[in-house]
PDB file of all heavy atoms in Angstrom:
ATOM      1  N   SER A  58     -19.302-118.853 -64.814  1.00 90.00           N
ATOM      2  CA  SER A  58     -19.248-118.866 -63.351  1.00 90.00           C
ATOM      3  C   SER A  58     -18.512-117.648 -62.813  1.00 90.00           C
ATOM      4  O   SER A  58     -18.973-116.984 -61.866  1.00 90.00           O
ATOM      5  CB  SER A  58     -18.578-120.148 -62.862  1.00 90.00           C
ATOM      6  OG  SER A  58     -19.285-121.290 -63.299  1.00 90.00           O
ATOM      7  N   ASN A  59     -17.363-117.333 -63.413  1.00 90.00           N
ATOM      8  CA  ASN A  59     -16.606-116.174 -62.945  1.00 90.00           C
ATOM      9  C   ASN A  59     -17.388-114.885 -63.125  1.00 90.00           C
ATOM     10  O   ASN A  59     -17.442-114.037 -62.214  1.00 90.00           O
ATOM     11  CB  ASN A  59     -15.271-116.084 -63.705  1.00 90.00           C
ATOM     12  CG  ASN A  59     -14.329-117.206 -63.348  1.00 90.00           C
ATOM     13  OD1 ASN A  59     -14.433-117.808 -62.282  1.00 90.00           O
ATOM     14  ND2 ASN A  59     -13.407-117.518 -64.237  1.00 90.00           N
ATOM     15  N   LEU A  60     -18.000-114.718 -64.281  1.00 87.00           N
ATOM     16  CA  LEU A  60     -18.751-113.498 -64.548  1.00 87.00           C
ATOM     17  C   LEU A  60     -19.986-113.406 -63.663  1.00 87.00           C
ATOM     18  O   LEU A  60     -20.333-112.315 -63.180  1.00 87.00           O
ATOM     19  CB  LEU A  60     -19.148-113.448 -66.019  1.00 87.00           C
ATOM     20  CG  LEU A  60     -19.791-112.142 -66.516  1.00 87.00           C
ATOM     21  CD1 LEU A  60     -18.872-110.958 -66.259  1.00 87.00           C
ATOM     22  CD2 LEU A  60     -20.117-112.243 -67.998  1.00 87.00           C
ATOM     23  N   SER A  61     -20.653-114.524 -63.424  1.00 87.00           N
ATOM     24  CA  SER A  61     -21.845-114.519 -62.571  1.00 87.00           C
ATOM     25  C   SER A  61     -21.488-114.138 -61.142  1.00 87.00           C
ATOM     26  O   SER A  61     -22.181-113.327 -60.513  1.00 87.00           O
ATOM     27  CB  SER A  61     -22.521-115.893 -62.596  1.00 87.00           C
ATOM     28  OG  SER A  61     -22.948-116.218 -63.884  1.00 87.00           O
ATOM     29  N   LEU A  62     -20.415-114.717 -60.631  1.00 85.00           N
ATOM     30  CA  LEU A  62     -20.015-114.406 -59.261  1.00 85.00           C
ATOM     31  C   LEU A  62     -19.596-112.954 -59.119  1.00 85.00           C
ATOM     32  O   LEU A  62     -19.957-112.277 -58.153  1.00 85.00           O
ATOM     33  CB  LEU A  62     -18.875-115.335 -58.828  1.00 85.00           C
ATOM     34  CG  LEU A  62     -19.246-116.814 -58.652  1.00 85.00           C
ATOM     35  CD1 LEU A  62     -18.014-117.639 -58.339  1.00 85.00           C
ATOM     36  CD2 LEU A  62     -20.279-116.966 -57.541  1.00 85.00           C
ATOM     37  N   LYS A  63     -18.838-112.453 -60.087  1.00 84.00           N
ATOM     38  CA  LYS A  63     -18.378-111.072 -60.007  1.00 84.00           C
ATOM     39  C   LYS A  63     -19.512-110.072 -60.187  1.00 84.00           C
ATOM     40  O   LYS A  63     -19.563-109.042 -59.515  1.00 84.00           O
ATOM     41  CB  LYS A  63     -17.297-110.827 -61.069  1.00 84.00           C
ATOM     42  CG  LYS A  63     -16.000-111.572 -60.822  1.00 84.00           C
ATOM     43  CD  LYS A  63     -15.007-111.315 -61.938  1.00 84.00           C
ATOM     44  CE  LYS A  63     -13.721-112.092 -61.733  1.00 84.00           C
ATOM     45  NZ  LYS A  63     -12.743-111.894 -62.838  1.00 84.00           N
ATOM     46  N   ALA A  64     -20.423-110.371 -61.091  1.00 83.00           N
ATOM     47  CA  ALA A  64     -21.474-109.407 -61.421  1.00 83.00           C
ATOM     48  C   ALA A  64     -22.645-109.450 -60.450  1.00 83.00           C
ATOM     49  O   ALA A  64     -23.271-108.418 -60.186  1.00 83.00           O
ATOM     50  CB  ALA A  64     -21.973-109.667 -62.846  1.00 83.00           C
ATOM     51  N   LEU A  65     -22.969-110.642 -59.929  1.00 87.00           N
ATOM     52  CA  LEU A  65     -24.186-110.788 -59.147  1.00 87.00           C
ATOM     53  C   LEU A  65     -23.959-110.820 -57.641  1.00 87.00           C
ATOM     54  O   LEU A  65     -24.818-110.348 -56.885  1.00 87.00           O
ATOM     55  CB  LEU A  65     -24.922-112.071 -59.563  1.00 87.00           C
ATOM     56  CG  LEU A  65     -25.385-112.139 -61.023  1.00 87.00           C
ATOM     57  CD1 LEU A  65     -26.001-113.498 -61.311  1.00 87.00           C
ATOM     58  CD2 LEU A  65     -26.371-111.030 -61.333  1.00 87.00           C
ATOM     59  N   SER A  66     -22.833-111.379 -57.204  1.00 86.00           N
ATOM     60  CA  SER A  66     -22.644-111.573 -55.761  1.00 86.00           C
ATOM     61  C   SER A  66     -22.651-110.255 -54.999  1.00 86.00           C
ATOM     62  O   SER A  66     -23.322-110.137 -53.953  1.00 86.00           O
ATOM     63  CB  SER A  66     -21.325-112.321 -55.506  1.00 86.00           C
ATOM     64  OG  SER A  66     -20.229-111.600 -56.037  1.00 86.00           O
ATOM     65  N   LEU A  67     -21.926-109.255 -55.471  1.00 85.00           N
ATOM     66  CA  LEU A  67     -21.860-107.979 -54.765  1.00 85.00           C
ATOM     67  C   LEU A  67     -23.228-107.303 -54.716  1.00 85.00           C
ATOM     68  O   LEU A  67     -23.635-106.773 -53.664  1.00 85.00           O
ATOM     69  CB  LEU A  67     -20.842-107.061 -55.452  1.00 85.00           C
ATOM     70  CG  LEU A  67     -20.580-105.707 -54.769  1.00 85.00           C
ATOM     71  CD1 LEU A  67     -20.026-105.932 -53.374  1.00 85.00           C
ATOM     72  CD2 LEU A  67     -19.614-104.873 -55.594  1.00 85.00           C
ATOM     73  N   ILE A  68     -23.956-107.333 -55.827  1.00 86.00           N
ATOM     74  CA  ILE A  68     -25.289-106.724 -55.874  1.00 86.00           C
ATOM     75  C   ILE A  68     -26.233-107.440 -54.920  1.00 86.00           C
ATOM     76  O   ILE A  68     -26.988-106.809 -54.161  1.00 86.00           O
ATOM     77  CB  ILE A  68     -25.845-106.758 -57.311  1.00 86.00           C
ATOM     78  CG1 ILE A  68     -24.952-105.953 -58.245  1.00 86.00           C
ATOM     79  CG2 ILE A  68     -27.274-106.227 -57.354  1.00 86.00           C
ATOM     80  CD1 ILE A  68     -25.357-106.034 -59.702  1.00 86.00           C
ATOM     81  N   VAL A  69     -26.199-108.770 -54.925  1.00 88.00           N
ATOM     82  CA  VAL A  69     -27.096-109.561 -54.084  1.00 88.00           C
ATOM     83  C   VAL A  69     -26.809-109.315 -52.607  1.00 88.00           C
ATOM     84  O   VAL A  69     -27.724-109.110 -51.806  1.00 88.00           O
ATOM     85  CB  VAL A  69     -26.970-111.050 -54.438  1.00 88.00           C
ATOM     86  CG1 VAL A  69     -27.670-111.914 -53.393  1.00 88.00           C
ATOM     87  CG2 VAL A  69     -27.558-111.324 -55.812  1.00 88.00           C
ATOM     88  N   VAL A  70     -25.530-109.342 -52.230  1.00 87.00           N
ATOM     89  CA  VAL A  70     -25.168-109.131 -50.824  1.00 87.00           C
ATOM     90  C   VAL A  70     -25.567-107.730 -50.366  1.00 87.00           C
ATOM     91  O   VAL A  70     -26.122-107.553 -49.272  1.00 87.00           O
ATOM     92  CB  VAL A  70     -23.654-109.360 -50.624  1.00 87.00           C
ATOM     93  CG1 VAL A  70     -23.227-108.931 -49.225  1.00 87.00           C
ATOM     94  CG2 VAL A  70     -23.305-110.817 -50.858  1.00 87.00           C
TER      95      VAL A  70
END
Side-chain angles (χ1 to χ4, degrees):
S58 301
N59 292 337
L60 188 57
S61 298
L62 292 175
K63 292 178 182 178
L65 299 176
S66 59
L67 184 61
I68 298 175
V69 168
V70 171

